[in-house]
């Protein structure tokens, strides 16, 4: 079942459904996973919809999409934002955000309220936040939140939202087992066993007859022209601009280095780093208890006595401490005297007891001390600017009507002409030709032109800022190769088709023989198909068909004591299949029956629960006043598609 689920997620619609299902699973977060917490808890002023007065913001939808991509990638799934959007992820995220807002609005309208104490209890009892001793660990709590880009305040807001969802959806989504009357016949079908035998009439083992004369060959070629079709090819001219050609011009002057030093004076000025020991508590009362116990100086011991853990931050600047804890805490830590215990104090929505354990003064650095560093930085900026200026100059010239040759000459680039290539950059006339990344990018752009002579286009080539000016010189329409060029190939195909026709005739002649009880080997011999592999018996259950050949799968669509044929790949011949026995599945008598019955019962129960969840959410949305801002939705969808495509 797990393999089936993994395969399902790879399909177009499977990924969308899994996305929605994961959104609903976030309801269970209070007792399990942290990674679902960003759902529906941050927002911006851009409202995509309102549900009974509750706004659904652009940021909520962005958060859902980013969270899914991030979590999927963390689990080893190779998915990008562009792929998710192409498979309907935007609509799924928007609908999920609307459903969440509807649940919250419905709960508020019906007098439901989540108290602060309840959320505190949920956090303290969540095993995800337990330390080595099994008790709540403030350090673990902070680390998990930091890993998931959450602040305590945002986290608590999300816990509140999910508590509402659990109260409303939980009773609806109870996973009752699927009825035995539905599951048992289905499992019995999977346990059905079939036996039989497969023979192969090989084309190459048949006599194709005489070689075709010129007239016959020409007629065969005319009837099968599509086999010899060469796709449309294009000949392009392009000129490549790369950073290496501009490096000499990007050497920084002394004045530029001095200006860069002056601009970033604060970076090289004297600074200070501080080390901090802190305890973060979920309430004022707990923080006060820690502060009272820490008066003797043992903050770690005081934290442990309260079931918490003290956290130590090595010497860091203010920005680093703000990133690890919060900006309000960093401001307080850099204003506090060294060694003195501070707190309890509320900073940024959390309660702290802390002390500055170390103050490290960093001396200013002179221009001479950072000259090498600045030289490299300025050179990179100048090179990027030169590339950008060169690209802009070429685009301006083309926009003013310059031809490809004129723009290339003005930019002092070298023009290159490609062979006649198909869209993927390969040459049908030269199998040894292998396009590099530049040619592949150029050909992709070249097939975007409508006709030869269209305005040249500038396209990016590499991450280093390289670009190319591309012009379409000629379109070679799709057409079959001339018979004179491929006479041997057409002749070989003709002979193979003649042999295949005889193989079909022989295989067809076997069918009545087999149905009269003639053994497979004897039937093959009687029709002259004595070469090739001997007949092969088969014995499979229907549940074992995944990955099997098409002729074995065909056997499970045939009555007993019948024979059928199916063509082998690449005109290789014909498989002849005879089904001997069909043994109906017996759930109780099959060793795999009980386990399969239990597994499928659970799987169908989960599917039913998911459907209840979706239907309940849909009923809430339909019962409440929902207004969609279609213009804002269209803008966000377009913005995500642009950014997703550029991020691939």
């Amino acid at each position: 079942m797990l393999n089936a689920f993994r395969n399902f997620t790879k399909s177009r619609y499977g990924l969308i459904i899994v996305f929605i299902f994961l959104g609903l699973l976030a309801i269970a977060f209070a007792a399990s996973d942290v990674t679902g917490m960003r759902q529906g808890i941050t927002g911006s002023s851009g409202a995509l919809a309102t549900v009974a007065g509750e706004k659904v913001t652009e940021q909520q939808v962005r958060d859902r999409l980013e969270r899914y991509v991030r979590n999927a990638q963390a689990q080893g799934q190779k998915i990008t934002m562009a792929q998710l959007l192409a498979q309907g992820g935007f609509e799924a995220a928007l609908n999920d955000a609307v459903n969440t807002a509807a649940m919250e609005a419905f709960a508020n309208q019906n007098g439901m309220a989540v108290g602060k104490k309840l959320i505190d209890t949920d956090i303290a009892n969540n095993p995800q936040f337990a330390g080595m001793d099994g008790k709540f660990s403030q350090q673990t709590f902070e680390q998990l939140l930091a890993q998931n880009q959450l602040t305590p305040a945002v986290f608590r807001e999300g816990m509140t939202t999910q508590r509402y969802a659990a109260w409303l959806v939980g009773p609806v989504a109870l996973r009752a087992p699927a009825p035995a009357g539905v599951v048992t016949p289905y499992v019995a079908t999977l346990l059905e066993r079939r036996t039989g035998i497969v023979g192969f009439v090989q084309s190459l083992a048949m006599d194709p007859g005489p070689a075709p004369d010129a007239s016959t060959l020409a007629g065969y070629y005319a009837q099968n022209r599509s086999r010899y079709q060469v796709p449309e090819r294009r000949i392009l001219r392009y000129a490549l601009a790369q950073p290496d050609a501009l490096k000499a011009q990007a050497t920084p002057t002394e004045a530029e280095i001095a200006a860069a030093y002056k601009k970033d004076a604060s970076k090289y000025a004297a600074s200070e780093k501080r080390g901090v020991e802190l305890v973060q508590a979920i309430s004022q009362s707990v923080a006060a208890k820690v502060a009272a116990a820490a008066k003797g100086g043992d903050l770690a011991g005081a934290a442990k006595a309260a079931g918490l853990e003290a956290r130590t931050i090595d010497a860091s600047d203010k920005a680093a401490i703000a990133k690890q804890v919060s900006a309000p805490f960093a401001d307080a830590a850099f204003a506090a005297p060294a060694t003195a215990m501070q707190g309890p104090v509320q900073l940024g929505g959390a309660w702290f007891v802390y002390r500055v354990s170390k103050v490290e003064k960093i001396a200013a650095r002179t221009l001479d001390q950072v000259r090498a560093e600045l030289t490299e930085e300025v050179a990179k900026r100048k090179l990027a600017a030169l590339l950008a200026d060169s690209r802009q100059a070429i685009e301006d010239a083309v926009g003013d009507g310059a031809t490809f040759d004129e723009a290339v000459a003005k930019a002092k680039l070298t023009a290159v002409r490609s062979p006649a290539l198909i869209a993927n950059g390969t040459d049908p006339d030269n199998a040894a030709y292998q396009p590099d990344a530049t040619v592949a990018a150029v050909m992709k752009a070249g097939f975007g032109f409508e006709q030869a002579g269209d305005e040249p286009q500038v396209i990016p080539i590499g991450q280093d800022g390289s670009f190319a000016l591309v012009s379409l010189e000629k379109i070679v329409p799709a057409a079959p190769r001339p018979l004179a060029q491929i006479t041997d190939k057409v002749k070989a195909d003709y002979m193979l088709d003649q042999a295949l026709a005889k193989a079909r005739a022989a295989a067809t002649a076997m069918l009545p023989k087999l149905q009269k009880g003639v053994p497979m080997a004897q039937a093959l011999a009687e029709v002259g198909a004595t070469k090739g592999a001997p007949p092969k018996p088969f014995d499979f259950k229907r549940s074992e068909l995944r990955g099997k050949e098409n002729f074995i799968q065909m056997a499970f669509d045939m009555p007993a004591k019948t024979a059928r044929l199916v063509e082998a790949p690449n005109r290789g011949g014909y498989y002849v299949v005879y089904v001997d026995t069909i043994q109906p599945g017996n759930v109780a008598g099959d060793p795999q029956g009980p386990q399969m019955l239990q597994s499928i019962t659970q799987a169908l129960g989960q599917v039913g629960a998911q459907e209840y969840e979706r239907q309940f959410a849909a009923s809430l949305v339909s019962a409440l006043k929902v207004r969609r801002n279609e213009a804002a939705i269209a803008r966000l969808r377009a913005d995500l598609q642009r950014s997703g495509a550029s991020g691939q």
Side-chain angles (χ1 to χ4, degrees):
M1 292 305 296
L2 286 176
N3 286 332
F5 183 79
R6 293 190 186 101
N7 290 328
F8 180 60
T9 62
K10 296 176 183 177
S11 70
R12 172 180 175 84
Y13 299 105
L15 181 58
I16 298 172
I17 293 172
V18 169
F19 180 91
I20 299 171
F21 178 52
L22 289 177
L24 291 169
L25 283 182
I27 293 167
F29 173 80
S32 58
D33 190 13
V34 175
T35 57
M37 270 311 302
R38 289 184 62 82
Q39 157 172 312
I41 53 181
T42 62
S44 68
S45 58
L48 303 179
T50 57
V51 184
E54 292 286 335
K55 288 185 177 181
V56 175
T57 67
E58 293 184 6
Q59 191 60 46
Q60 289 171 349
V61 175
R62 288 180 183 272
D63 283 349
R64 279 166 166 75
L65 292 167
E66 290 170 0
R67 183 187 69 247
Y68 181 75
V69 171
R70 186 169 58 248
N71 290 349
Q73 290 174 345
Q75 295 169 15
Q77 299 181 31
K78 296 180 179 179
I79 182 172
T80 65
M81 179 64 74
Q83 291 169 336
L84 178 61
L85 294 172
Q87 297 178 45
F90 176 82
E91 289 73 17
L94 176 60
N95 291 338
D96 187 35
V98 170
N99 291 345
T100 299
M103 288 182 191
E104 225 176 316
F106 182 81
N108 293 334
Q109 289 179 2
N110 287 273
M112 291 185 178
V114 178
K116 178 178 178 297
K117 190 171 183 180
L118 176 60
I119 299 302
D120 288 344
T121 302
D122 281 346
I123 293 173
N125 292 335
N126 193 323
Q128 293 288 321
F129 303 140
M132 296 296 293
D133 58 358
K135 297 180 181 179
F136 174 79
S137 167
Q138 186 71 32
Q139 183 176 3
T140 302
F141 176 74
E142 294 173 5
Q143 288 175 347
L144 283 175
L145 262 60
Q147 290 169 9
N148 289 276
Q149 303 176 26
L150 293 166
T151 65
V154 170
F155 178 80
R156 295 175 67 85
E157 184 180 346
M159 290 287 289
T160 301
T161 299
Q162 291 180 355
R163 173 60 68 170
Y164 285 132
W167 284 345
L168 291 170
V169 180
V172 175
L174 291 175
R175 284 168 169 75
V182 174
V183 180
T184 303
Y186 178 65
V187 174
T189 301
L190 294 177
L191 294 174
E192 175 190 292
R193 180 182 293 277
R194 296 193 175 204
T195 65
I197 191 167
V198 179
F200 183 45
V201 182
Q202 188 177 16
S203 296
L204 295 178
M206 310 304 291
D207 180 8
D213 57 25
S215 176
T216 301
L217 192 64
Y220 176 82
Y221 170 78
Q223 293 174 357
N224 296 276
R225 289 167 63 91
S226 60
R227 286 189 186 178
Y228 311 109
Q229 189 89 346
V230 179
E232 178 185 300
R233 291 169 289 169
R234 297 193 171 194
I235 299 174
L236 305 177
R237 298 184 69 204
Y238 63 95
L240 186 63
Q242 295 177 300
D244 288 346
L246 299 172
K247 279 187 176 179
Q249 302 175 47
T251 303
T253 66
E254 283 298 320
E256 289 170 334
I257 294 173
Y261 178 79
K262 183 177 180 180
K263 180 180 178 181
D264 292 335
S266 60
K267 179 179 177 180
Y268 308 112
S271 60
E272 181 179 302
K273 291 185 177 182
R274 291 195 168 200
V276 185
E277 187 179 10
L278 68 134
V279 174
Q280 184 174 343
I282 60 176
S283 66
Q284 182 179 10
S285 59
V286 175
K289 181 179 177 181
V290 172
K295 287 182 178 179
D298 185 5
L299 184 57
K304 187 174 182 180
L308 305 175
E309 290 185 20
R311 180 179 175 187
T312 300
I313 298 177
D314 293 331
S316 305
D317 59 26
K318 184 185 288 190
I321 292 179
K323 185 176 181 180
Q324 294 182 61
V325 186
S326 69
F329 178 82
D331 290 339
F334 271 77
T339 70
M341 197 71 66
Q342 306 293 324
V345 59
Q346 188 176 24
L347 300 168
W351 289 90
F352 292 92
V353 179
Y354 69 96
R355 68 179 170 195
V356 177
S357 58
K358 183 179 182 181
V359 177
E360 183 179 304
K361 302 288 186 179
I362 301 174
R365 290 187 290 170
T366 66
L367 174 58
D368 287 338
Q369 290 174 318
V370 297
R371 184 179 300 280
E373 176 184 330
L374 280 172
T375 299
E376 183 178 357
E377 290 179 3
V378 174
K380 287 181 179 179
R381 287 199 296 267
K382 286 189 69 176
L383 183 58
L386 286 169
L387 276 169
D389 290 345
S390 176
R391 176 170 179 166
Q392 188 62 55
I394 292 175
E395 289 178 338
D396 289 345
V398 170
D400 291 338
T403 65
F404 173 83
D405 289 319
E406 289 170 345
V408 169
K410 185 175 181 180
K412 298 181 180 179
L413 300 177
T414 301
V416 178
R417 177 179 282 102
S418 75
L421 304 176
I422 61 177
N424 65 5
T426 59
D427 185 351
D429 294 330
N430 182 6
Y433 179 84
Q434 294 296 324
D436 57 21
T438 297
V439 172
V442 166
M443 292 309 300
K444 183 178 180 180
F447 271 78
F449 289 99
E450 292 185 5
Q451 59 186 4
D454 281 354
E455 181 180 284
Q457 299 292 322
V458 177
I459 64 166
I461 294 297
Q463 298 295 327
D464 61 355
S466 300
F467 64 90
L469 179 66
V470 183
S471 176
L472 174 60
E473 180 175 291
K474 183 180 180 181
I475 296 177
V476 182
R481 296 185 186 280
L483 176 59
Q485 293 182 5
I486 53 173
T487 300
D488 291 342
K489 167 65 176 170
V490 177
K491 185 181 294 185
D493 285 343
Y494 172 86
M495 300 297 285
L496 182 58
D497 277 2
Q498 296 301 303
L500 181 65
K502 292 188 176 182
R504 181 178 179 84
T508 302
M510 291 174 60
L511 300 182
K513 296 176 182 291
L514 293 169
Q515 292 178 174
K516 290 178 181 178
V518 176
M520 179 69 74
Q522 181 181 336
L524 286 166
E526 289 179 358
V527 299
T530 56
K531 298 180 181 179
K536 185 176 181 180
F538 63 85
D539 182 351
F540 293 110
K541 293 179 182 178
R542 190 179 294 273
S543 60
E544 299 169 342
L545 287 183
R546 183 183 297 275
K548 293 293 188 294
E549 299 90 341
N550 64 338
F551 55 83
I552 294 296
Q553 297 188 23
M554 182 180 72
F556 279 80
D557 292 328
M558 297 167 53
K561 308 301 180 182
T562 60
R564 289 183 188 174
L565 59 87
V566 61
E567 186 176 347
N570 303 316
R571 295 180 289 168
Y574 283 87
Y575 292 105
V576 181
V577 181
Y578 178 76
V579 175
D580 187 19
T581 66
I582 299 176
Q583 179 182 338
N586 184 343
V587 177
D590 193 294
Q592 295 179 326
Q595 181 180 358
M596 189 176 291
L597 185 68
Q598 180 182 8
S599 175
I600 292 179
T601 298
Q602 292 176 350
L604 291 179
Q606 291 174 354
V607 171
Q610 294 165 30
E611 183 60 26
Y612 282 133
E613 292 171 356
R614 285 191 287 271
Q615 292 297 330
F616 180 74
S619 68
L620 290 184
V621 171
S622 64
L624 298 170
K625 190 173 184 179
V626 178
R627 292 182 178 177
R628 290 167 57 100
N629 185 341
E630 297 297 344
I633 291 171
R635 283 195 300 271
L636 178 59
R637 182 189 289 110
D639 181 54
L640 288 168
Q641 288 172 341
R642 284 193 299 271
S643 58
S646 64
Q648 291 191 88

